[in-house]
Amino acid sequence: MAYVHDIPLPFLKSCQQHPIYPRRLVDRSRYGVPLLEIFDKRFQARQRQLNLFSPDTIFSIPYWDVSKAGVVDQAILSSEQQLSQWIGDEFQQDPRSPTKVLAAKPDPQCRYIFLPSRSSVKPLELTQNALKRILSYHQVAPCLLDFLYCYGHADGTETESARFSGLRTEKTLRGSNPALNIPALNRSGRRYQMCYTLKGVDLKTADATGKAIIDKTWRTRPALIHHQFDIEKGTQLWIIGDPLQGIQNLITEHIHEKKSHAARYGTFAQSFKSSLDSHLLYAQWACEGWRWHVQSLEEIFDKITDAVVTPGTHPQGNINWMPEALVITQLREEYLLDSITALDSNVAILNRLGAFYKGLIQDPAWPQAELAAAQHCVSEFVSQLEEYTYDMGTHLKRARLTAQRSKDRKDILIQHLNTQNASKQEAYTHVMWEQQQKSGIDAVAMKVITVITLVYLPMTFVSTFFSTDVVKYQDSGSNDNDSTSASSQGSNSPAERVSNLALARFFEVSVPLMLLTFCLAYAWYKWEKRGINARERSFSEKYTV
């Protein structure tokens, strides 16, 4: 094998020390060592928390390499050994010179690397070491790590992926680090790179278990896009985080492996234009589906709240509103607000992308020989980009109008529920009043029975007690002094006598006993009432502000 000279030693060390990316980037002074350490610590913490990477048994990295002649090399890497052989980052150094290596593999004219995932909440289908090897070899800016944290959520929620967005750019058009000028790898070091997110939307046809979904359920699809372009060599790199392979399928049609694409990458101008075309392809992907998604949300809100606005026209007549209707409306409104956030971020990112390219070709360091062609390409690019932003802006206005209308209708629904609850409360109060009236009548009856019982209970007790033989005032053989006999009856008939002493003793015992019973009952009543009042005061002091 022939030796390839002048592979800078800092670059070789950076590739060898890829497990500690981004701490060993070649151009560390651009970011500062403390900042790179922050990136690394945050990455280690977040990747454990989010379950960001798949186990070693799941490894899938699709790639497309396009040569200057337009020939496409397409494959899927299924192991780190295949990855190492593909990018060629295991340089064999010449023992006589540390800057000489065996046959380094130059970069193609255009390279696509995909980071697939089965959904935005599933782990990436590669290992942490494989990702760091790719990023170290291509000297990717560390900001890309922050864009990965919308994937792999352990709790299965898509909140971060739906709401996070951003765009980071970096230009090195002059005064580049000499260690990044590597002609053997088809690199000049003069480049710009960017990282941004776009969000598309599509109709979900199946749930996580594969079961078909009949109702219209839409999902937001976030895409991570990293791009590098060398302004001397015209080479370009794309690293795309692509859940469900939405963009990957578009690129497959855009750059078919069975066709020649020399007209797209043969010259610098063609390569630059093809990079702008790729941006437009992603913008088109992000724009598709939003019209039907917003229309679906409008239909759902109308179905829920039409009867609120025109209750008399409802086929069921008067509606008994349930609190669940308010909950459903609130959840749909929150989902709509997330969609508005996604649309708003798409518009802002595409506007910022057009502004970046306008400023890029105005930089004096841009190759002057390619300036006229680049200006024409950027002019067409910005013009078409504005069409996509206008379309998304229209969908955004429509979504905001729907959100405002749903808010207004939700307020009306709350008023209906309050009125309905008030009517129910009034009916409930009437029923309670009737029950209280019946209870009052029953209480009066019980009070009468209680008084009568208290009056007769002592007398009953005394009568029963005196009817026994415990106390005797006369016997069966009483003399004539204690009684009056009837002259009409014979000598053998029993005598009928009334004992004044027994009657006196009856009242002497029963009346005081009856009064004692009343006193004990009254004392018991007062004692119970005092306990109730004490509990009421305790409750009032505890819960009254």
Side-chain angles (χ1 to χ4, degrees):
M1 291 186 180
Y3 286 97
V4 178
H5 299 276
D6 298 330
I7 299 294
L9 189 60
F11 177 75
L12 294 176
K13 290 183 177 180
S14 179
C15 291
Q16 293 169 354
Q17 298 174 349
H18 67 268
I20 57 174
Y21 170 90
R23 293 174 182 261
R24 289 297 179 267
L25 283 172
V26 172
D27 201 7
R28 292 189 295 273
S29 60
R30 182 183 188 93
Y31 312 101
V33 174
L35 182 59
L36 294 178
E37 291 179 352
I38 292 175
F39 273 112
D40 188 29
K41 290 179 180 178
R42 182 164 60 231
F43 176 73
Q44 297 302 329
R46 296 294 291 177
Q47 67 93 7
R48 289 192 299 268
Q49 179 183 357
L50 300 177
N51 190 25
L52 193 57
F53 298 99
S54 298
D56 296 339
T57 56
I58 301 178
F59 194 101
S60 177
I61 304 179
Y63 76 88
W64 276 261
D65 280 353
V66 186
S67 67
K68 197 168 186 177
V71 179
V72 179
D73 175 25
Q74 176 183 350
I76 298 178
L77 304 173
S78 57
S79 67
E80 290 205 35
Q81 183 179 3
Q82 292 181 358
L83 172 63
S84 177
Q85 294 174 353
W86 171 61
I87 61 177
D89 63 339
E90 292 186 350
F91 301 104
Q92 301 181 25
Q93 292 178 266
D94 184 359
R96 296 169 295 179
S97 175
T99 62
K100 296 180 180 180
V101 299
L102 287 174
K105 185 178 179 181
D107 294 339
Q109 197 66 18
C110 180
R111 168 170 287 173
Y112 290 92
I113 301 175
F114 296 93
L115 308 178
S117 175
R118 297 180 183 179
S119 76
S120 59
V121 297
K122 298 294 183 181
L124 299 173
E125 296 182 355
L126 74 165
T127 62
Q128 179 182 170
N129 188 70
L131 177 65
K132 289 190 172 184
R133 169 170 280 179
I134 294 172
L135 300 183
S136 295
Y137 181 75
H138 294 96
Q139 294 295 296
V140 175
C143 63
L144 179 138
L145 297 177
D146 285 340
F147 287 77
L148 292 174
Y149 304 146
C150 59
Y151 298 103
H153 285 254
D155 58 358
T157 60
E158 299 185 359
T159 303
E160 180 69 11
S161 60
R163 298 176 183 176
F164 171 78
S165 63
L167 184 145
R168 301 289 185 274
T169 61
E170 180 180 303
K171 292 191 299 182
T172 311
L173 304 186
R174 62 163 68 88
S176 62
N177 193 313
L180 294 177
N181 184 10
I182 314 174
L185 299 183
N186 203 19
R187 302 179 188 179
S188 69
R190 299 177 61 199
R191 63 177 184 172
Y192 62 87
Q193 58 178 321
M194 64 183 66
C195 191
Y196 62 93
T197 57
L198 288 175
K199 296 179 179 67
V201 67
D202 66 354
L203 187 61
K204 191 174 182 180
T205 57
D207 58 13
T209 62
K211 184 178 179 180
I213 297 176
I214 299 177
D215 296 334
K216 291 183 178 180
T217 303
W218 293 81
R219 61 185 170 189
T220 303
R221 303 173 298 168
L224 158 66
I225 300 167
H226 173 80
H227 175 53
Q228 293 184 15
F229 190 89
D230 193 302
I231 67 171
E232 285 189 12
K233 305 295 183 179
T235 58
Q236 50 183 303
L237 168 71
W238 299 92
I239 299 177
I240 300 176
D242 184 25
L244 305 176
Q245 302 179 357
I247 295 181
Q248 181 178 340
N249 295 333
L250 289 177
I251 294 176
T252 301
E253 299 175 1
H254 186 64
I255 308 177
H256 201 279
E257 62 178 338
K258 294 184 179 180
K259 297 180 181 179
S260 175
H261 305 280
R264 293 182 179 177
Y265 304 98
T267 64
F268 177 90
Q270 290 173 343
S271 184
F272 180 68
K273 185 179 185 304
S274 69
S275 69
L276 299 181
D277 291 340
S278 296
H279 285 301
L280 292 175
L281 189 67
Y282 311 145
Q284 181 182 1
W285 168 85
C287 190
E288 290 293 330
W290 283 107
R291 172 186 174 184
W292 315 115
H293 173 48
V294 175
Q295 179 180 342
S296 175
L297 290 174
E298 288 176 342
E299 293 174 356
I300 292 173
F301 279 120
D302 290 343
K303 183 178 179 180
I304 297 174
T305 60
D306 269 351
V308 175
V309 181
T310 55
T313 61
H314 197 273
Q316 298 178 358
N318 294 329
I319 302 175
N320 185 20
W321 291 101
M322 301 298 291
E324 288 77 5
L326 182 61
V327 174
I328 295 174
T329 305
Q330 179 64 34
L331 292 176
R332 290 295 181 177
E333 184 178 358
E334 292 178 359
Y335 183 52
L336 177 59
L337 293 177
D338 286 338
S339 300
I340 291 174
T341 302
L343 272 171
D344 200 7
S345 66
N346 281 352
V347 172
I349 288 172
L350 293 184
N351 285 332
R352 182 68 186 86
L353 189 63
F356 171 79
Y357 276 101
K358 285 181 181 179
L360 181 68
I361 60 175
Q362 294 175 359
D363 195 305
W366 184 264
Q368 295 301 308
E370 307 292 343
L371 181 59
Q375 288 176 339
H376 178 71
C377 291
V378 170
S379 177
E380 292 184 347
F381 168 72
V382 172
S383 176
Q384 194 160 357
L385 204 63
E386 288 176 349
E387 293 182 2
Y388 290 127
T389 55
Y390 176 80
D391 288 345
M392 281 191 280
T394 302
H395 303 325
L396 179 60
K397 292 179 181 179
R398 184 176 177 182
R400 285 174 173 166
L401 180 62
T402 303
Q404 182 61 44
R405 187 169 68 251
S406 68
K407 181 180 180 300
D408 295 339
R409 292 191 175 189
K410 185 178 69 174
D411 293 339
I412 298 176
L413 175 58
I414 293 174
Q415 293 177 5
H416 277 288
L417 288 173
N418 291 336
T419 303
Q420 181 174 287
N421 291 336
S423 300
K424 290 182 179 179
Q425 184 65 31
E426 183 178 354
Y428 176 74
T429 303
H430 180 70
V431 172
M432 291 299 296
W433 180 82
E434 290 181 347
Q435 292 179 352
Q436 289 177 0
Q437 291 294 100
K438 293 179 180 179
S439 298
I441 295 173
D442 294 340
V444 171
M446 290 301 299
K447 187 181 296 184
V448 172
I449 295 173
T450 302
V451 172
I452 294 174
T453 302
L454 290 175
V455 171
Y456 284 96
L457 183 61
M459 295 182 179
T460 303
F461 169 74
V462 173
S463 298
T464 304
F465 181 77
F466 274 80
S467 66
T468 64
D469 291 337
V470 176
V471 178
K472 290 183 65 177
Y473 295 96
Q474 63 185 19
D475 55 9
S476 58
S478 302
N479 53 32
D480 295 337
N481 297 328
D482 297 329
S483 62
T484 305
S485 46
S487 60
S488 63
Q489 296 184 4
S491 60
N492 294 329
S493 58
E496 293 181 2
R497 298 180 177 89
V498 176
S499 175
N500 295 325
L501 179 62
L503 185 61
R505 292 290 184 269
F506 173 78
F507 284 108
E508 288 175 359
V509 175
S510 61
V511 172
L513 187 58
M514 182 177 63
L515 294 177
L516 178 63
T517 303
F518 274 107
C519 292
L520 291 176
Y522 182 74
W524 192 354
Y525 167 77
K526 296 295 290 184
W527 181 74
E528 290 288 346
K529 187 174 182 181
R530 188 182 301 110
I532 294 173
N533 292 337
R535 287 192 293 271
E536 288 181 353
R537 287 195 300 271
S538 177
F539 181 84
S540 178
E541 293 174 357
K542 183 176 181 180
Y543 293 100
T544 302
V545 180

